[in-house]
Amino acid sequence: MEKTRILLADDHILFRKGLAQLLNSQPDFQVIGEAGDGLEAMEKAREMMPDLILMDINMPRCDGRAATRLIKSELPYIVIVILTVSDDEQDLFAAIKNGAQGYLLKKIDPEELFEQLRGMSRGEAALSRLMANKILREFSRETQATTLGSGSPLTDREEQVLALVARGLTNREIAVSLVIAENTVKNHLRNILSKLHLGNRVQAAAYALREGLADADSAQEHLARNN
Amino acid sequence: MESRRVLILSGPGLLAQGMRSLLELDPDIEIVGITSDMGRAAEIIRERQPGVVVVDGDLFRIGLGDRHREIRLDKVRTLISLSQEDNLARVCHIEDKPLKEVEDLIEAMSE
């Protein structure tokens, strides 16, 4: 079984060691390295090329926000999930804007952590329901009831895919809904992200909400159905 | 060697479960409970008589001199308060020990 190779970035040694032990107990995860601050995380990411980084926010020398931005700009394929004690909305929004593909709190159970990380390989974002609701509320406040104009860079099919992403559907669910192959969905999503200069599906969902392609209620309904 | 019974006083989540997974690697250590509730901690101390209590020092401020109405910490042989911020294990408020590896924590519990 191919394991997800994980780099841990956290300045709290005992937490980091314990987390490594928990992850290494799972057959599909392997902790390949540890970093005590954002700069060390950047160096080790270049050296070890992990699949995933679990990144704390508050670290010395270079915090997790800056490290996320630096790593995503140089190594965009690496998935970064913030793992923090902070449930502050500003930290959450900053993390997403910097390119993080997930935001989890340290108070979650190990089993929930494992499932969230496994979900990422299925195209899901690693977000607790609480954090997802905060994102939806934020963009609901900013959303104008507009539609994309004739100058939209997206095709009709791409707009359909984007609307379903904003409702929280996985690629497989989108494929079933639109009666197309899952690989076709992935291709559409790649094109959408490229055309709109976005980094990941969480940013795509936020864009769709902002442009009125989907509404917060349907997104919350999907969350309620799946949690 | 007699098993060392350890109570972890910490909030729920990855820190406490991570500590458990590390300490249980030592066959002489038995985790008798994990709780953030003082009442439950008092029950565990009465029933299971742990010799060691490891406390998340960022959540709780407890010393051996405390006479909390629910907990008799004088029954506990070793109290270790963890400071994540400083990466320190404070043993019975007598000395600070640098915490770099889990072995440092286990050594502190043996004192």
Side-chain angles (χ1 to χ4, degrees):
Chain A
M1 171 190 286
E2 196 170 330
K3 299 187 180 190
T4 300
R5 299 164 67 253
I6 301 172
L7 171 66
L8 304 180
D10 196 303
D11 62 325
H12 296 152
I13 295 172
L14 190 61
F15 176 80
R16 212 170 63 220
K17 298 291 183 188
L19 181 60
Q21 177 65 23
L22 289 170
L23 289 166
N24 284 330
S25 73
Q26 298 300 298
D28 49 343
F29 298 132
Q30 180 189 9
V31 175
I32 60 169
E34 301 177 27
D37 61 57
L39 285 182
E40 190 179 2
M42 179 79 238
E43 289 162 5
K44 294 211 170 170
R46 285 184 186 128
E47 174 192 333
M48 297 176 173
M49 308 290 263
D51 300 313
L52 168 76
I53 300 176
L54 290 175
M55 180 87 75
D56 190 13
I57 290 182
N58 295 313
M59 293 185 287
R61 283 213 300 167
C62 174
D63 68 20
R65 301 172 197 84
T68 298
R69 195 168 51 248
L70 287 170
I71 293 172
K72 292 301 287 186
S73 68
E74 185 174 321
L75 304 163
Y77 78 92
I78 294 179
V79 173
I80 298 180
V81 173
I82 302 294
L83 184 58
T84 175
V85 296
S86 171
D87 60 0
D88 184 275
E89 289 180 354
Q90 298 311 311
D91 285 334
L92 167 62
F93 301 148
I96 300 300
K97 286 173 185 171
N98 284 330
Q101 287 127 304
Y103 193 101
L104 297 172
L105 301 181
K106 288 182 177 179
K107 65 183 179 182
I108 65 173
D109 290 333
E111 289 304 322
E112 184 180 349
L113 172 67
F114 303 151
E115 284 314 303
Q116 290 278 7
L117 296 184
R118 286 170 184 140
M120 300 198 76
S121 64
R122 298 190 295 266
E124 299 162 15
L127 286 172
S128 67
R129 185 177 179 181
L130 173 65
M131 293 294 117
N133 278 341
K134 290 192 178 195
I135 292 176
L136 291 171
R137 278 202 305 273
E138 170 67 9
F139 284 101
S140 288
R141 278 198 294 272
E142 296 178 359
T143 296
Q144 303 281 326
T146 58
T147 57
L148 294 175
S150 57
S152 166
L154 301 182
T155 64
D156 288 344
R157 181 59 101 190
E158 286 167 352
E159 287 183 14
Q160 288 176 330
V161 169
L162 184 56
L164 294 177
V165 166
R167 285 176 55 194
L169 273 64
T170 64
N171 289 349
R172 185 183 295 270
E173 289 170 333
I174 294 172
V176 169
S177 177
L178 297 178
V179 196
I180 57 178
E182 189 175 344
N183 272 343
T184 305
V185 174
K186 290 179 183 175
N187 288 337
H188 281 311
L189 194 52
R190 256 197 296 274
N191 289 337
I192 290 167
L193 294 178
S194 177
K195 286 182 181 181
L196 299 179
H197 306 292
L198 300 172
N200 52 58
R201 68 193 298 123
V202 175
Q203 292 180 0
Y207 176 92
L209 285 173
R210 198 164 58 239
E211 296 297 327
L213 278 180
D215 57 83
D217 288 339
S218 61
Q220 287 190 350
E221 181 188 318
H222 176 76
L223 277 171
R225 199 169 64 241
N226 286 282
N227 281 285
Chain B
M1 176 188 258
E2 187 181 329
S3 169
R4 280 170 293 183
R5 289 191 294 276
V6 179
L7 167 64
I8 298 175
L9 201 53
S10 172
L14 297 174
L15 174 64
Q17 296 301 328
M19 266 198 285
R20 175 205 284 267
S21 69
L22 287 172
L23 293 174
E24 285 182 339
L25 291 174
D26 188 320
D28 296 322
I29 292 176
E30 178 191 357
I31 307 297
V32 298
I34 299 176
T35 184
S36 60
D37 181 79
M38 298 296 260
R40 179 66 188 134
E43 284 175 14
I44 295 172
I45 289 173
R46 272 196 308 273
E47 293 166 10
R48 304 297 306 276
Q49 298 182 353
V52 179
V53 174
V54 178
V55 181
D56 180 350
D58 293 332
L59 287 184
F60 298 100
R61 295 285 181 264
I62 293 179
L64 265 186
D66 288 351
R67 288 294 179 261
H68 193 283
R69 60 183 172 81
E70 291 172 295
I71 289 185
R72 289 297 303 273
L73 287 174
D74 55 349
K75 301 272 186 211
V76 174
R77 181 174 56 83
T78 305
L79 175 72
I80 300 172
S81 177
L82 301 177
S83 169
Q84 288 198 83
E85 205 60 43
D86 306 317
N87 285 314
L88 288 175
R90 294 195 164 91
V91 183
C92 302
H93 297 284
I94 295 174
E95 62 176 330
D96 294 341
K97 298 185 81 69
L99 186 63
K100 291 184 180 175
E101 300 290 341
V102 67
E103 287 78 11
D104 296 326
L105 177 59
I106 295 173
E107 183 186 318
M109 294 191 318
S110 301
E111 294 180 358

mmCIF file of all heavy atoms in Angstrom, chain A residues 6-10 12-13 15-21 24 31-37 40-41 44 48, chain B residues 100-101:
data_model
loop_
_atom_site.group_PDB
_atom_site.id
_atom_site.type_symbol
_atom_site.label_atom_id
_atom_site.label_comp_id
_atom_site.label_asym_id
_atom_site.label_seq_id
_atom_site.Cartn_x
_atom_site.Cartn_y
_atom_site.Cartn_z
ATOM 1 N N ILE A 6 4.239 12.272 5.123
ATOM 2 C CA ILE A 6 3.816 13.462 5.868
ATOM 3 C C ILE A 6 4.988 14.132 6.555
ATOM 4 O O ILE A 6 5.826 13.466 7.183
ATOM 5 C CB ILE A 6 2.766 13.086 6.930
ATOM 6 C CG1 ILE A 6 1.535 12.434 6.251
ATOM 7 C CG2 ILE A 6 2.338 14.306 7.728
ATOM 8 C CD1 ILE A 6 0.527 11.864 7.227
ATOM 9 N N LEU A 7 5.039 15.442 6.453
ATOM 10 C CA LEU A 7 5.999 16.254 7.195
ATOM 11 C C LEU A 7 5.216 17.009 8.269
ATOM 12 O O LEU A 7 4.163 17.591 7.991
ATOM 13 C CB LEU A 7 6.698 17.250 6.258
ATOM 14 C CG LEU A 7 7.576 18.331 6.886
ATOM 15 C CD1 LEU A 7 8.801 17.710 7.562
ATOM 16 C CD2 LEU A 7 8.037 19.337 5.825
ATOM 17 N N LEU A 8 5.715 16.977 9.506
ATOM 18 C CA LEU A 8 5.075 17.687 10.605
ATOM 19 C C LEU A 8 5.829 18.972 10.910
ATOM 20 O O LEU A 8 7.061 18.951 11.049
ATOM 21 C CB LEU A 8 5.057 16.822 11.873
ATOM 22 C CG LEU A 8 4.400 15.448 11.760
ATOM 23 C CD1 LEU A 8 4.470 14.727 13.106
ATOM 24 C CD2 LEU A 8 2.970 15.571 11.284
ATOM 25 N N ALA A 9 5.095 20.076 11.027
ATOM 26 C CA ALA A 9 5.715 21.360 11.365
ATOM 27 C C ALA A 9 5.009 21.927 12.588
ATOM 28 O O ALA A 9 3.885 22.405 12.499
ATOM 29 C CB ALA A 9 5.632 22.332 10.194
ATOM 30 N N ASP A 10 5.692 21.864 13.736
ATOM 31 C CA ASP A 10 5.122 22.340 15.003
ATOM 32 C C ASP A 10 6.271 22.542 15.972
ATOM 33 O O ASP A 10 7.169 21.712 16.048
ATOM 34 C CB ASP A 10 4.135 21.301 15.561
ATOM 35 C CG ASP A 10 3.221 21.878 16.637
ATOM 36 O OD1 ASP A 10 3.742 22.400 17.639
ATOM 37 O OD2 ASP A 10 1.998 21.797 16.486
ATOM 38 N N HIS A 12 6.042 22.570 19.215
ATOM 39 C CA HIS A 12 5.825 21.879 20.483
ATOM 40 C C HIS A 12 6.275 20.426 20.325
ATOM 41 O O HIS A 12 5.601 19.622 19.675
ATOM 42 C CB HIS A 12 4.369 21.965 20.903
ATOM 43 C CG HIS A 12 3.940 23.377 21.170
ATOM 44 N ND1 HIS A 12 2.649 23.807 21.016
ATOM 45 C CD2 HIS A 12 4.649 24.463 21.571
ATOM 46 C CE1 HIS A 12 2.566 25.095 21.310
ATOM 47 N NE2 HIS A 12 3.758 25.514 21.632
ATOM 48 N N ILE A 13 7.408 20.117 20.959
ATOM 49 C CA ILE A 13 8.084 18.848 20.679
ATOM 50 C C ILE A 13 7.227 17.639 21.062
ATOM 51 O O ILE A 13 7.089 16.697 20.276
ATOM 52 C CB ILE A 13 9.430 18.792 21.410
ATOM 53 C CG1 ILE A 13 10.355 19.877 20.845
ATOM 54 C CG2 ILE A 13 10.072 17.422 21.273
ATOM 55 C CD1 ILE A 13 11.650 20.042 21.612
ATOM 56 N N PHE A 15 4.033 17.375 21.464
ATOM 57 C CA PHE A 15 2.879 17.248 20.577
ATOM 58 C C PHE A 15 3.296 16.617 19.261
ATOM 59 O O PHE A 15 2.657 15.706 18.732
ATOM 60 C CB PHE A 15 2.222 18.605 20.323
ATOM 61 C CG PHE A 15 1.088 18.529 19.332
ATOM 62 C CD1 PHE A 15 -0.158 18.092 19.734
ATOM 63 C CD2 PHE A 15 1.285 18.831 17.992
ATOM 64 C CE1 PHE A 15 -1.208 17.980 18.818
ATOM 65 C CE2 PHE A 15 0.250 18.721 17.070
ATOM 66 C CZ PHE A 15 -0.992 18.292 17.494
ATOM 67 N N ARG A 16 4.404 17.085 18.715
ATOM 68 C CA ARG A 16 4.877 16.593 17.428
ATOM 69 C C ARG A 16 5.225 15.107 17.493
ATOM 70 O O ARG A 16 4.883 14.327 16.619
ATOM 71 C CB ARG A 16 6.116 17.413 17.051
ATOM 72 C CG ARG A 16 6.319 17.629 15.584
ATOM 73 C CD ARG A 16 7.415 18.630 15.347
ATOM 74 N NE ARG A 16 8.695 18.190 15.830
ATOM 75 C CZ ARG A 16 9.577 18.983 16.437
ATOM 76 N NH1 ARG A 16 9.299 20.263 16.646
ATOM 77 N NH2 ARG A 16 10.734 18.504 16.837
ATOM 78 N N LYS A 17 5.931 14.726 18.565
ATOM 79 C CA LYS A 17 6.333 13.320 18.718
ATOM 80 C C LYS A 17 5.115 12.421 18.876
ATOM 81 O O LYS A 17 5.049 11.325 18.318
ATOM 82 C CB LYS A 17 7.244 13.158 19.944
ATOM 83 C CG LYS A 17 8.549 13.921 19.881
ATOM 84 C CD LYS A 17 9.481 13.363 18.843
ATOM 85 C CE LYS A 17 10.810 14.098 18.832
ATOM 86 N NZ LYS A 17 11.660 13.680 17.707
ATOM 87 N N GLY A 18 4.156 12.889 19.672
ATOM 88 C CA GLY A 18 2.938 12.099 19.865
ATOM 89 C C GLY A 18 2.149 11.965 18.578
ATOM 90 O O GLY A 18 1.630 10.888 18.250
ATOM 91 N N LEU A 19 2.057 13.056 17.828
ATOM 92 C CA LEU A 19 1.330 13.037 16.557
ATOM 93 C C LEU A 19 2.002 12.081 15.577
ATOM 94 O O LEU A 19 1.338 11.324 14.860
ATOM 95 C CB LEU A 19 1.278 14.447 15.977
ATOM 96 C CG LEU A 19 0.531 14.621 14.647
ATOM 97 C CD1 LEU A 19 -0.928 14.199 14.770
ATOM 98 C CD2 LEU A 19 0.622 16.069 14.179
ATOM 99 N N ALA A 20 3.335 12.104 15.553
ATOM 100 C CA ALA A 20 4.071 11.195 14.665
ATOM 101 C C ALA A 20 3.769 9.750 15.022
ATOM 102 O O ALA A 20 3.552 8.906 14.147
ATOM 103 C CB ALA A 20 5.569 11.475 14.764
ATOM 104 N N GLN A 21 3.746 9.464 16.301
ATOM 105 C CA GLN A 21 3.461 8.099 16.744
ATOM 106 C C GLN A 21 2.062 7.672 16.320
ATOM 107 O O GLN A 21 1.845 6.556 15.839
ATOM 108 C CB GLN A 21 3.622 8.003 18.266
ATOM 109 C CG GLN A 21 3.292 6.643 18.850
ATOM 110 C CD GLN A 21 4.248 5.561 18.388
ATOM 111 O OE1 GLN A 21 5.379 5.843 17.986
ATOM 112 N NE2 GLN A 21 3.798 4.325 18.423
ATOM 113 N N ASN A 24 2.035 7.198 12.444
ATOM 114 C CA ASN A 24 2.798 6.019 12.014
ATOM 115 C C ASN A 24 2.123 4.710 12.412
ATOM 116 O O ASN A 24 2.488 3.657 11.892
ATOM 117 C CB ASN A 24 4.221 6.081 12.590
ATOM 118 C CG ASN A 24 5.096 7.082 11.841
ATOM 119 O OD1 ASN A 24 4.905 7.317 10.654
ATOM 120 N ND2 ASN A 24 6.055 7.669 12.538
ATOM 121 N N VAL A 31 5.224 9.329 8.636
ATOM 122 C CA VAL A 31 5.843 10.616 8.938
ATOM 123 C C VAL A 31 7.304 10.543 8.509
ATOM 124 O O VAL A 31 8.072 9.732 9.016
ATOM 125 C CB VAL A 31 5.729 10.949 10.441
ATOM 126 C CG1 VAL A 31 6.494 12.230 10.764
ATOM 127 C CG2 VAL A 31 4.264 11.089 10.836
ATOM 128 N N ILE A 32 7.669 11.376 7.527
ATOM 129 C CA ILE A 32 9.022 11.302 6.977
ATOM 130 C C ILE A 32 9.941 12.372 7.554
ATOM 131 O O ILE A 32 11.153 12.334 7.318
ATOM 132 C CB ILE A 32 9.004 11.433 5.442
ATOM 133 C CG1 ILE A 32 8.385 12.785 5.021
ATOM 134 C CG2 ILE A 32 8.241 10.271 4.819
ATOM 135 C CD1 ILE A 32 8.572 13.102 3.556
ATOM 136 N N GLY A 33 9.369 13.332 8.296
ATOM 137 C CA GLY A 33 10.226 14.358 8.865
ATOM 138 C C GLY A 33 9.457 15.281 9.784
ATOM 139 O O GLY A 33 8.224 15.299 9.794
ATOM 140 N N GLU A 34 10.207 16.051 10.564
ATOM 141 C CA GLU A 34 9.622 17.000 11.508
ATOM 142 C C GLU A 34 10.369 18.331 11.407
ATOM 143 O O GLU A 34 11.581 18.352 11.155
ATOM 144 C CB GLU A 34 9.731 16.477 12.946
ATOM 145 C CG GLU A 34 9.043 15.146 13.173
ATOM 146 C CD GLU A 34 9.238 14.628 14.590
ATOM 147 O OE1 GLU A 34 9.427 15.461 15.502
ATOM 148 O OE2 GLU A 34 9.204 13.415 14.783
ATOM 149 N N ALA A 35 9.641 19.410 11.640
ATOM 150 C CA ALA A 35 10.252 20.739 11.640
ATOM 151 C C ALA A 35 9.728 21.513 12.833
ATOM 152 O O ALA A 35 8.564 21.344 13.230
ATOM 153 C CB ALA A 35 9.913 21.476 10.341
ATOM 154 N N GLY A 36 10.577 22.370 13.398
ATOM 155 C CA GLY A 36 10.198 23.132 14.581
ATOM 156 C C GLY A 36 9.782 24.557 14.284
ATOM 157 O O GLY A 36 9.376 25.287 15.201
ATOM 158 N N ASP A 37 9.915 24.975 13.027
ATOM 159 C CA ASP A 37 9.468 26.312 12.655
ATOM 160 C C ASP A 37 9.243 26.357 11.147
ATOM 161 O O ASP A 37 9.512 25.378 10.435
ATOM 162 C CB ASP A 37 10.481 27.376 13.088
ATOM 163 C CG ASP A 37 11.852 27.197 12.447
ATOM 164 O OD1 ASP A 37 11.940 27.183 11.195
ATOM 165 O OD2 ASP A 37 12.841 27.076 13.188
ATOM 166 N N GLU A 40 12.373 25.869 8.811
ATOM 167 C CA GLU A 40 12.809 24.469 8.772
ATOM 168 C C GLU A 40 11.821 23.649 7.945
ATOM 169 O O GLU A 40 12.221 22.739 7.220
ATOM 170 C CB GLU A 40 12.925 23.911 10.184
ATOM 171 C CG GLU A 40 13.603 22.546 10.239
ATOM 172 C CD GLU A 40 13.724 22.010 11.660
ATOM 173 O OE1 GLU A 40 13.245 22.672 12.599
ATOM 174 O OE2 GLU A 40 14.300 20.924 11.818
ATOM 175 N N ALA A 41 10.533 23.987 8.049
ATOM 176 C CA ALA A 41 9.525 23.285 7.244
ATOM 177 C C ALA A 41 9.800 23.480 5.761
ATOM 178 O O ALA A 41 9.702 22.545 4.959
ATOM 179 C CB ALA A 41 8.124 23.782 7.599
ATOM 180 N N LYS A 44 12.922 21.384 4.758
ATOM 181 C CA LYS A 44 12.648 19.937 4.733
ATOM 182 C C LYS A 44 11.673 19.586 3.623
ATOM 183 O O LYS A 44 11.719 18.491 3.068
ATOM 184 C CB LYS A 44 12.137 19.481 6.095
ATOM 185 C CG LYS A 44 13.214 19.624 7.167
ATOM 186 C CD LYS A 44 13.117 18.604 8.256
ATOM 187 C CE LYS A 44 14.372 18.689 9.115
ATOM 188 N NZ LYS A 44 14.304 17.900 10.336
ATOM 189 N N MET A 48 12.727 16.692 1.256
ATOM 190 C CA MET A 48 12.049 15.401 1.390
ATOM 191 C C MET A 48 10.863 15.233 0.444
ATOM 192 O O MET A 48 10.383 14.112 0.270
ATOM 193 C CB MET A 48 11.549 15.232 2.827
ATOM 194 C CG MET A 48 12.657 15.196 3.850
ATOM 195 S SD MET A 48 11.977 15.106 5.507
ATOM 196 C CE MET A 48 13.474 14.865 6.454
ATOM 197 N N LYS B 100 13.105 17.169 25.238
ATOM 198 C CA LYS B 100 13.420 17.038 23.821
ATOM 199 C C LYS B 100 12.914 15.727 23.265
ATOM 200 O O LYS B 100 12.633 15.611 22.079
ATOM 201 C CB LYS B 100 14.938 17.150 23.618
ATOM 202 C CG LYS B 100 15.461 18.541 23.899
ATOM 203 C CD LYS B 100 16.947 18.647 23.597
ATOM 204 C CE LYS B 100 17.427 20.054 23.879
ATOM 205 N NZ LYS B 100 18.883 20.185 23.712
ATOM 206 N N GLU B 101 12.868 14.727 24.089
ATOM 207 C CA GLU B 101 12.418 13.414 23.641
ATOM 208 C C GLU B 101 11.466 12.852 24.698
ATOM 209 O O GLU B 101 11.488 13.268 25.849
ATOM 210 C CB GLU B 101 13.605 12.452 23.482
ATOM 211 C CG GLU B 101 14.670 12.875 22.489
ATOM 212 C CD GLU B 101 14.181 12.809 21.054
ATOM 213 O OE1 GLU B 101 13.176 12.123 20.785
ATOM 214 O OE2 GLU B 101 14.805 13.471 20.188
#
